[in-house]
Amino acid sequence: METPRDPIASRYEHAAHGLRRRDLDPDPIKQFSNWFTAAIEAEIRDVNATSLATAGHDGKPTVRIVLLKGFDSDGFVFFTNYESEKGVQLEANPYAALAFYWIELDRQIRISGKAEKTSREESERYFRSRPVGSQLGAWASRQSEVLDGRRVLDARMAEMTERYGDKPIPLPPHWGGYRVKPDVMEFWQGRPNRLHDRFRYRLQSDGSWLIERLAP
Ligand SMILES: Cc1cc2nc3c(=O)[nH]c(=O)nc-3n(C[C@H](O)[C@H](O)[C@H](O)COP(=O)(O)O)c2cc1C
């Protein structure tokens, strides 16, 4: 049996080696997958937590944490309430950015691109996999609306629990996923003396990725 890696030791190991051009996969999604796997192996808590930045019509950015629930060559998926502040902003302006930070590995990954709603089938599949309490919660909470008090939320939760009882809970129309399809991704590896390694991938018009090293 493999022993789990000591995340602190990994941090120094990675910092010492740094990130070299020749270590990068030409495909940034595969590069993400390699780092994500290493982060899971290092047993990083909330490894899939990512900052999500959005800006609506007014151009003022807002940021919050969401959980990455999947990724593939089409992009990075999270689930939320489409009527929340982020949902309203993404409706007005679909461009979004994500930032992962895995402190124990001294690594950051930045992703930006256009967010598209996932299909209802995909949202439904994920919704079904959630605990019943979370499914009811998606009905009960009008995410990002002002609440007069906790009791309003508790009363709505009680109402939904009564409404659905043991019946299957339908996917709320206001709830589902977004997939951020990247056009820029950056991999950052912390190094001693702040001379960190940074590599940026930029999607080209022919579908290939241009990789450039950036000054730290
Ligand atoms: C660790 C963590 C994970 C979270 N995951 C999600 C998530 O997957 N989806 C979501 O809608 N909100 C998630 N939240 C709550 C959001 O940060 C935020 O409070 C909420 O989505 C409302 O954001 P908005 O008003 O900007 O739309 C999470 C918060 C934390 C701290």
Side-chain angles (χ1 to χ4, degrees):
M1 206 180 86
E2 265 185 62
T3 40
R5 301 195 326 162
D6 171 0
I8 302 300
S10 311
R11 178 177 188 169
Y12 290 111
E13 189 190 308
H14 288 286
H17 290 158
L19 182 61
R20 294 165 298 199
R21 178 70 177 74
R22 64 176 179 275
D23 298 331
L24 293 173
D25 196 288
D27 176 349
I29 309 278
K30 291 206 183 110
Q31 182 61 35
F32 179 90
S33 178
N34 294 342
W35 273 25
F36 194 62
T37 304
I40 291 168
E41 281 172 2
E43 301 190 328
I44 288 172
R45 204 173 146 226
D46 283 340
V47 64
N48 61 333
T50 177
S51 302
L52 163 74
T54 54
H57 281 310
D58 63 6
K60 294 180 182 171
T62 60
V63 64
R64 78 292 286 154
I65 305 287
V66 294
L67 295 179
L68 181 77
K69 289 296 176 180
F71 66 92
D72 58 21
S73 54
D74 289 333
F76 296 84
V77 176
F78 64 91
F79 292 89
T80 193
N81 186 313
Y82 290 141
E83 294 170 0
S84 63
E85 182 177 49
K86 72 182 97 45
V88 171
Q89 290 182 341
L90 286 170
E91 194 64 37
N93 165 20
Y95 290 95
L98 304 171
F100 292 83
Y101 177 44
W102 297 317
I103 189 168
E104 295 88 344
L105 298 176
D106 225 1
R107 284 178 170 173
Q108 171 182 242
I109 302 177
R110 297 167 65 182
I111 298 168
S112 49
K114 209 168 167 178
E116 286 172 4
K117 283 180 180 167
T118 55
S119 68
R120 292 316 277 161
E121 294 71 42
E122 188 172 353
S123 298
E124 175 108 37
R125 221 176 310 126
Y126 175 65
F127 187 73
R128 292 269 148 264
S129 75
R130 303 178 86 209
V132 167
S134 306
Q135 294 185 23
L136 290 168
W139 277 104
S141 171
R142 298 191 174 115
Q143 194 178 53
S144 315
E145 279 192 9
V146 174
L147 274 178
D148 273 345
R150 175 88 208 180
R151 71 194 145 66
V152 180
L153 186 61
D154 293 341
R156 265 189 68 79
M157 188 67 171
E159 193 190 315
M160 294 303 142
T161 309
E162 187 165 346
R163 178 185 301 175
Y164 292 111
D166 294 334
K167 296 197 282 277
I169 303 156
L171 172 69
H174 57 260
W175 197 95
Y178 285 100
R179 175 174 279 102
V180 180
K181 200 170 174 45
D183 45 42
V184 180
M185 288 180 64
E186 184 197 311
F187 295 83
W188 183 102
Q189 175 69 66
R191 297 282 306 262
N193 303 323
R194 310 232 165 250
L195 294 178
H196 314 303
D197 290 318
R198 299 176 64 192
F199 286 96
R200 182 181 63 195
Y201 292 68
R202 272 190 296 154
L203 186 62
Q204 306 296 289
S205 50
D206 65 358
S208 66
W209 291 91
L210 174 68
I211 306 177
E212 293 163 309
R213 182 186 271 274
L214 303 180

